[in-house]
């Protein structure tokens, strides 16, 4: 048949694959120790298992499927493993998997309302549900993007256009009058902020990374001084990116005080709540972003900690008309008779073509409910607090940052180094890197070795759906055992 397998074959293989995915998930749940959390393959090993050239004749998919378990599984790092403590939790709930399956099955393309009304309207529903779940007022509306990086780029493009009086419709960044536009963030801001500032044409020389305090939060006094210095020099302060949950330590920038400054100087305030945003489902966490109501834009990654599989990013704005003015396109082949009455979400972001991402979010939310999601987040926060207490009470362990959420930044100072008077940075770095390497190579758990203001640390991020207290206890034991090895 031209076009590939017929529907009967699809049904048969589809059932088989669902069965295999279910078995894999069951393994993660019931016998996770049989799977190395971090893939142990060497670069090139997986590629070498596949033919260098494409097959001229198809042999049918059924014959090729064993390659998934045999050739691909060894090269998978198991993000949904209960002992995954690296980077950030990126849970793909079972309901989310089904959402992606239906998304692919329907093959909908949501560039305009008319090209799949359900894709647009369910996205509107889900975005508004999420807004309510996070405790935000209906002054915010929004859209789903792939990643926080994309959303932050959109935010800085909108900021640039507001401050420059829509320079894009004239000479662009090359032609606008006045001094250079300046973007501010903290020295703990995620690399996507710098990337967005560079891609949006601000130039590295016009990105100010403001120093942070001992808790790694942006220092507002220094921010204010930097804005005033730029104004005095004839430059044009344009945007501030504040973080609610920095990447290294989940530090919280003082949003209220920053919003005050932004308001005073008419600066765009973008809030990067990629990591902490999910926790705002919990009313007891909302103090962490107090002042959010005054942000011009907010980005949250439900694909990090809410169970909605990668990729799914929520981008909320207070002035959607401005967003559409910056992002909108209107070629004649896209005109429809509904353009005045319905949203065309292509005008709310960069890509024209849009996946039906809202499906998986809808499925996760109806499956678990707000209460179910909240209960899991509370469990993770509680596990992080428990581990923080163990670390604080154990001799030889240092915690390098507060633990407002589920990430712990720690390091071990071994007694023999202390006795030998060798607690210099180089010796500590070597010792802690060795702990990380041994744990990650053991396949028993996966954590991230990282630097915090020049100090080597072990970063432990708790929050996989399957991670229970016993897995955190096992991690703590593993850390102590590995640290004691010579
Ligand atoms: N912002 C923060 C605070 C992050 O921690 C991350 C990723 O870890 C990002 C932005 C970028 O996220 P994405 O991969 O969705 O672009």
């Amino acid at each position: 048949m031209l076009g590939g397998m017929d529907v009967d074959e699809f049904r048969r293989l589809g059932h088989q694959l669902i069965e295999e995915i279910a078995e894999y998930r069951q393994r993660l749940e019931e016998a996770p120790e049989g799977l190395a959390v971090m893939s142990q393959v060497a670069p090139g090993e997986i590629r070498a298992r596949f033919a260098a050239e494409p097959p001229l004749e198809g042999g049918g998919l059924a014959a090729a499927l064993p390659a998934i378990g045999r050739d691909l599984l060894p090269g998978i790092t198991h993000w949904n493993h209960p002992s995954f403590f690296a980077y950030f939790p990126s849970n793909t709930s079972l309901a989310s998997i089904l959402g992606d399956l239906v998304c692919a099955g329907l093959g909908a393309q949501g560039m305009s309302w008319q090209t799949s009304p359900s894709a647009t309207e369910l996205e509107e529903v889900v975005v508004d549900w999420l807004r309510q779940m996070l405790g935000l007022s209906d002054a915010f509306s929004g859209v789903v993007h792939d990643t926080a990086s994309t959303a932050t780029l959109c935010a800085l493009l909108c900021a640039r256009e507001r401050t420059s009086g829509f320079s894009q419709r004239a000479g662009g960044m090359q032609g606008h009058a006045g001094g250079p536009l300046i973007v501010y963030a903290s020295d703990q801001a995620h690399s996507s902020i710098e990337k967005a500032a560079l891609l949006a044409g601000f130039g590295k020389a016009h990105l100010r990374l403001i120093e942070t305090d001992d808790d790694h939060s942006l220092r507002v006094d220094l921010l204010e001084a930097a804005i005033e210095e730029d104004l005095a020099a004839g430059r044009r302060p344009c945007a501030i990116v504040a973080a609610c949950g920095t990447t290294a330590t989940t530090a919280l920038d003082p949003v209220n005080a920053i919003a005050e400054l932004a308001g005073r100087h008419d600066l765009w305030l973008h809030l990067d709540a990629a990591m902490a945003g999910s926790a705002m489902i919990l009313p007891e966490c909302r103090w962490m972003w107090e002042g959010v109501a005054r942000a011009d834009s907010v980005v949250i990654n439900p694909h990090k900690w809410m169970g909605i599989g990668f990729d799914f990013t929520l981008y909320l704005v207070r002035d959607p008309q401005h967003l559409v003015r910056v992002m909108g396109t209107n070629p004649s082949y896209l005109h429809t008779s509904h353009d005045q009455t319905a949203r065309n979400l292509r005008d709310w972001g960069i890509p024209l073509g849009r996946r039906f991402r809202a499906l998986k979010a809808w499925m996760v939310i109806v499956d678990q409910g707000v209460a179910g999601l909240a209960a899991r987040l509370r469990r993770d926060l509680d596990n992080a607090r428990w581990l923080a207490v163990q670390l604080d009470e154990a001799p030889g362990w240092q915690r390098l940052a507060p633990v407002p959420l589920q990430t712990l930044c720690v390091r071990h100072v071994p007694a023999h180094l202390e006795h030998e008077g060798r607690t210099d940075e180089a010796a500590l770095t070597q010792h802690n890197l060795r702990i990380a390497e041994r744990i990650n190579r053991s396949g028993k758990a996966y954590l991230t070795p990282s630097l915090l203001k020049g100090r080597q640390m072990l970063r432990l991020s708790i929050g996989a759906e399957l991670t229970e207290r016993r897995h955190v206890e096992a991690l703590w034991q593993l850390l102590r055992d590995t640290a004691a090895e010579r």
Side-chain angles (χ1 to χ4, degrees):
M1 182 184 117
L2 288 179
M5 73 180 69
D6 60 26
V7 172
D8 286 336
E9 176 78 338
F10 169 76
R11 184 174 285 122
R12 199 175 63 73
L13 294 181
H15 281 293
Q16 180 189 321
L17 283 174
I18 288 282
E19 203 46 55
E20 286 175 16
I21 294 168
E23 268 169 31
Y24 166 66
R25 288 305 188 110
Q26 212 152 18
R27 245 178 110 183
L28 286 176
E29 210 173 311
E30 292 169 8
E33 55 291 337
L35 292 161
V37 190
M38 183 189 81
S39 168
Q40 306 284 313
V41 300
E45 208 176 309
I46 299 299
R47 187 174 176 169
R49 297 177 188 211
F50 289 82
E53 289 168 7
L56 186 59
E57 307 290 342
L61 181 60
L65 284 183
I68 297 174
R70 187 189 58 225
D71 299 323
L72 291 176
L73 200 61
I76 296 297
T77 288
H78 303 287
W79 284 69
N80 289 271
H81 193 292
S83 296
F84 184 97
F85 300 105
Y87 307 107
F88 48 84
S90 186
N91 301 313
T92 308
S93 281
L94 295 175
S96 178
I97 300 175
L98 296 179
D100 263 340
L101 184 64
V102 177
C103 169
L106 295 175
Q109 216 281 30
M111 59 188 184
S112 305
W113 176 86
Q114 187 172 273
T115 61
S116 268
S118 294
T120 296
E121 296 197 11
L122 189 65
E123 186 162 329
E124 289 174 338
V125 169
V126 161
V127 165
D128 204 56
W129 281 7
L130 286 165
R131 174 191 67 72
Q132 294 173 56
M133 286 161 67
L134 302 169
L136 294 174
S137 85
D138 62 8
F140 284 100
S141 54
V143 67
V144 176
H145 284 320
D146 52 2
T147 59
S149 304
T150 304
T152 294
L153 175 58
C154 287
L156 289 190
L157 292 171
C158 286
R160 183 191 77 190
E161 290 311 302
R162 193 173 79 180
T163 308
S164 69
F166 279 90
S167 65
Q168 69 179 16
R169 301 285 156 156
M173 286 297 264
Q174 306 187 65
H176 82 89
L181 307 185
I182 312 291
V183 176
Y184 307 84
S186 92
D187 62 16
Q188 294 298 301
H190 186 261
S191 56
S192 59
I193 315 307
E194 173 169 342
K195 188 168 183 170
L198 300 193
L199 293 177
F202 289 91
K204 191 157 180 161
H206 306 127
L207 173 65
R208 309 263 177 273
L209 296 180
I210 307 295
E211 218 176 283
T212 45
D213 62 18
D214 291 344
D215 286 346
H216 315 292
S217 308
L218 185 145
R219 278 185 54 185
V220 180
D221 57 328
L222 297 182
L223 173 63
E224 186 166 12
I227 292 171
E228 269 155 20
E229 193 185 321
D230 283 323
L231 281 170
R235 294 181 284 263
R236 300 168 73 191
C238 171
I240 307 171
V241 182
C244 181
T246 58
T247 307
T249 69
T250 65
L252 308 164
D253 288 344
V255 182
N256 230 345
I258 293 172
E260 182 65 40
L261 254 184
R264 205 176 329 138
H265 293 284
D266 195 22
L267 308 188
W268 187 280
L269 175 57
H270 176 60
L271 185 57
D272 178 2
M275 182 61 217
S278 297
M280 300 309 144
I281 294 179
L282 308 176
E284 67 269 28
C285 284
R286 291 187 190 145
W287 62 268
M288 294 183 195
W289 72 1
E290 206 194 325
V292 60
R294 289 192 280 172
D296 292 283
S297 52
V298 184
V299 61
I300 292 152
N301 271 352
H303 70 215
K304 282 202 163 70
W305 190 20
M306 212 189 280
I308 301 169
F310 193 83
D311 50 6
F312 186 99
T313 291
L314 179 66
Y315 181 57
L316 295 169
V317 295
R318 275 198 298 129
D319 184 354
Q321 280 173 358
H322 178 75
L323 177 64
V324 171
R325 193 169 166 206
V326 176
M327 298 285 157
T329 49
N330 204 12
S332 61
Y333 80 99
L334 291 175
H335 289 180
T336 73
S337 51
H338 302 287
D339 291 347
Q340 300 312 313
T341 49
R343 274 186 198 170
N344 290 320
L345 290 179
R346 66 169 182 275
D347 292 337
W348 289 56
I350 296 169
L352 168 61
R354 310 187 80 252
R355 269 157 45 72
F356 194 174
R357 289 194 180 85
L359 258 175
K360 59 186 171 186
W362 173 71
M363 289 201 186
V364 169
I365 297 168
V366 294
D367 180 43
Q368 300 187 39
V370 182
L373 291 166
R376 187 178 59 71
L377 292 164
R378 287 196 176 105
R379 178 204 64 182
D380 297 341
L381 292 170
D382 203 42
N383 281 337
R385 279 192 290 266
W386 177 84
L387 186 53
V389 171
Q390 311 312 306
L391 282 153
D392 289 350
E393 288 174 355
W397 288 90
Q398 289 179 347
R399 203 151 52 72
L400 305 187
V403 185
L405 292 166
Q406 43 54 265
T407 302
L408 295 101
C409 299
V410 309
R411 66 178 182 173
H412 184 246
V413 183
H416 73 271
L417 280 187
E418 244 175 358
H419 291 150
E420 292 161 19
R422 287 203 296 129
T423 49
D424 58 286
E425 235 8 84
L428 279 177
T429 298
Q430 199 188 26
H431 175 68
N432 282 278
L433 280 178
R434 201 180 54 191
I435 296 174
E437 174 71 8
R438 285 189 178 173
I439 289 181
N440 292 346
R441 282 276 150 231
S442 77
K444 290 181 187 161
Y446 186 20
L447 52 85
T448 312
S450 173
L451 286 175
L452 178 62
K453 295 179 182 165
R455 295 202 292 170
Q456 183 63 50
M457 64 166 175
L458 305 172
R459 191 176 160 285
L460 314 169
S461 170
I462 297 173
E465 261 185 342
L466 294 176
T467 305
E468 303 283 354
R469 176 63 59 82
R470 65 194 156 93
H471 302 107
V472 182
E473 285 168 1
L475 169 70
W476 178 220
Q477 190 61 51
L478 185 61
L479 279 165
R480 282 177 297 167
D481 292 347
T482 312
E485 286 170 11
R486 292 298 294 265

